[in-house]
Amino acid sequence: MLAACGGKPETAGGAAATTDSAAQLNVLCSVQADWCNAAAVAFEKKTGVKVAITQKGSGESLAQLNAESANPKTDVWYGGTGDPHIAAAERNLTEAYDSPANAELHPWAQEIATITGNKTHGVYMGVLGFGANSELLTKKNAKAPGCWADLSKPEYKGEVQIANPNSSGTAYVAIATLVQLMGEDKAFAYLKSLHGNVSQYTKSGTAPIKAVARGETGVSVSFLQDAVTEQQAGFKLETIVPCEGTGYEVGGISIVKGARNMDAAKKFVDWALSPEGQAVGATVKQFHTPSNTKAAVPAGAPDPTKVKLIKYDLKKYGAEVERKRLIARWSDEIGSLVKDAPATDAKPADAKAAAPAEAAKK
């Protein structure tokens, strides 16, 4: 979509800017579609730069940038879990940019810039957990799970949804979290036991919590801020931080190597890291923790300082070789257990059939 032009725009830092009606920025966006569109509108109003948005999940976005590397059509990749952003930096698909806004960011956001040599900056944090539809679970004589260990219990058979890590950054963060909590072999043994309770491996990371909200499944493995979005929309569901501890995402923003609109791309990064740019998510009921220390935290957003977080090794588990290895192991040991059905966001009637076979071949 193309955002509408604004009146007297300013730069992200607040100084008056000259409107360039001819400029256009092409943004690959891996947050919710409403957030992508709101960011495009707000940035154009601020700077006069038109924004064309393409919304895709983290895994799909990385694949697109890789496919377009010889002739990039994208200028900025905005949002999505940090791991594929780190992989893009390692593949030399993104451009180093030392944004002046980086000095205002929380240490967990600055870390990703350090790891990638300023090819990625941290935009937000999201805590991994569960969403639960207690009304649906009660009908099945079950209660909301409190721990990772609970999800593989018999009472949750057919009631768990989690995304496919071949297409979803959320699912990869879950795998990396479990490996860091349990050790790799125990984590994969757990994932195999969990498989018997999974009704669907979805293409996107937000699909499971939406299914919980609609009463299509009892439990999801999701980022907690996405569950809050559904609660704010009026759906009754619970959010749970697993008792053993949990991991988190650091959402990234990266300038694409060979971007055709480099000046506008840098301006967009500075704006996205500013308190003003980070306030946009809350306007469309997105409840991530902003990375700028001066940005207001949306009311109702999960507080990462009040939950049991693991010391997530972003450098190790964001590295492309580790990411590819773990996803390949998941595809071989878990994805291969379900045959003859693609990884897709199926309609409710098809939920029991949806599975990762096609994505597992990637």
Side-chain angles (χ1 to χ4, degrees):
M1 60 85 61
L2 293 179
C5 288
K8 292 201 81 157
E10 298 178 337
T11 65
T18 302
T19 301
D20 181 1
S21 59
Q24 176 172 302
L25 189 71
N26 298 303
V27 176
L28 191 57
C29 187
S30 296
V31 294
Q32 293 273 26
D34 287 350
W35 188 353
C36 295
N37 293 336
V41 171
F43 181 70
E44 182 177 346
K45 184 176 180 180
K46 188 75 174 177
T47 65
V49 177
K50 294 182 181 294
V51 180
I53 288 282
T54 301
Q55 199 273 339
K56 286 187 177 180
S58 299
E60 292 179 297
S61 295
L62 177 59
Q64 179 174 325
L65 293 186
N66 194 63
E68 294 179 355
S69 60
N71 184 26
K73 297 176 175 61
T74 303
D75 299 306
V76 176
W77 180 12
Y78 177 46
T81 53
D83 309 287
H85 280 269
I86 294 173
E90 290 185 350
R91 295 184 195 180
N92 201 31
L93 298 175
T94 49
E95 187 83 33
Y97 172 53
D98 187 8
S99 173
N102 195 49
E104 298 181 353
L105 306 186
H106 288 285
W108 47 261
Q110 293 181 351
E111 180 185 11
I112 197 170
T114 300
I115 290 171
T116 61
N118 288 323
K119 289 184 177 181
T120 296
H121 294 78
V123 184
Y124 56 79
M125 176 190 278
V127 176
L128 188 70
F130 308 148
N133 188 314
S134 294
E135 182 178 349
L136 179 61
L137 290 173
T138 298
K139 293 178 181 178
K140 296 177 178 287
N141 297 315
K143 62 181 181 179
C147 306
W148 288 106
D150 292 337
L151 293 189
S152 59
K153 292 180 178 178
E155 56 260 43
Y156 300 108
K157 186 172 181 62
E159 290 300 334
V160 179
Q161 284 195 17
I162 183 171
N164 184 329
N166 286 281
S167 57
S168 165
T170 305
Y172 176 72
V173 170
I175 293 171
T177 293
L178 291 168
V179 168
Q180 291 171 83
L181 273 170
M182 303 177 180
E184 186 171 331
D185 288 341
K186 288 184 178 179
F188 275 87
Y190 167 80
L191 288 167
K192 287 179 184 177
S193 66
L194 176 64
H195 172 76
N197 288 347
V198 174
S199 65
Q200 183 179 356
Y201 293 99
T202 62
K203 184 177 179 182
S204 77
T206 57
I209 193 62
K210 293 180 183 297
V212 167
R214 295 190 298 262
E216 296 166 11
T217 196
V219 183
S220 70
V221 178
S222 309
F223 285 119
L224 297 184
Q225 69 271 7
D226 295 327
V228 175
T229 297
E230 299 302 323
Q231 290 173 330
Q232 292 289 324
F235 293 103
K236 294 182 179 180
L237 55 93
E238 294 183 49
T239 60
I240 301 107
V241 177
C243 69
E244 302 95 335
T246 194
Y248 57 91
E249 66 168 333
V250 176
I253 186 168
S254 306
I255 296 176
V256 177
K257 186 81 170 179
R260 300 175 184 180
N261 304 291
M262 185 61 70
D263 289 343
K266 291 178 179 179
K267 190 179 293 186
F268 185 86
V269 170
D270 293 342
W271 173 83
L273 297 176
S274 72
E276 181 181 357
Q278 298 199 340
V280 171
T283 67
V284 287
K285 298 188 183 302
Q286 298 298 307
F287 298 93
H288 301 65
T289 300
S291 63
N292 193 304
T293 57
K294 298 178 181 179
V297 178
D303 186 346
T305 68
K306 295 182 179 179
V307 299
K308 187 177 180 181
L309 294 179
I310 66 170
K311 188 173 176 57
Y312 193 98
D313 191 338
L314 188 60
K315 183 175 183 179
K316 177 178 180 179
Y317 292 96
E320 180 172 25
V321 63
E322 187 70 358
R323 181 175 177 274
K324 288 179 69 176
R325 187 183 69 81
L326 288 177
I327 292 175
R329 182 171 181 180
W330 182 91
S331 297
D332 289 342
E333 298 184 18
I334 314 301
S336 61
L337 296 176
V338 182
K339 304 181 184 301
D340 302 323
T344 183
D345 295 335
K347 296 179 181 178
D350 299 323
K352 301 296 181 183
E358 289 301 319
K361 296 176 183 177
K362 295 180 182 177

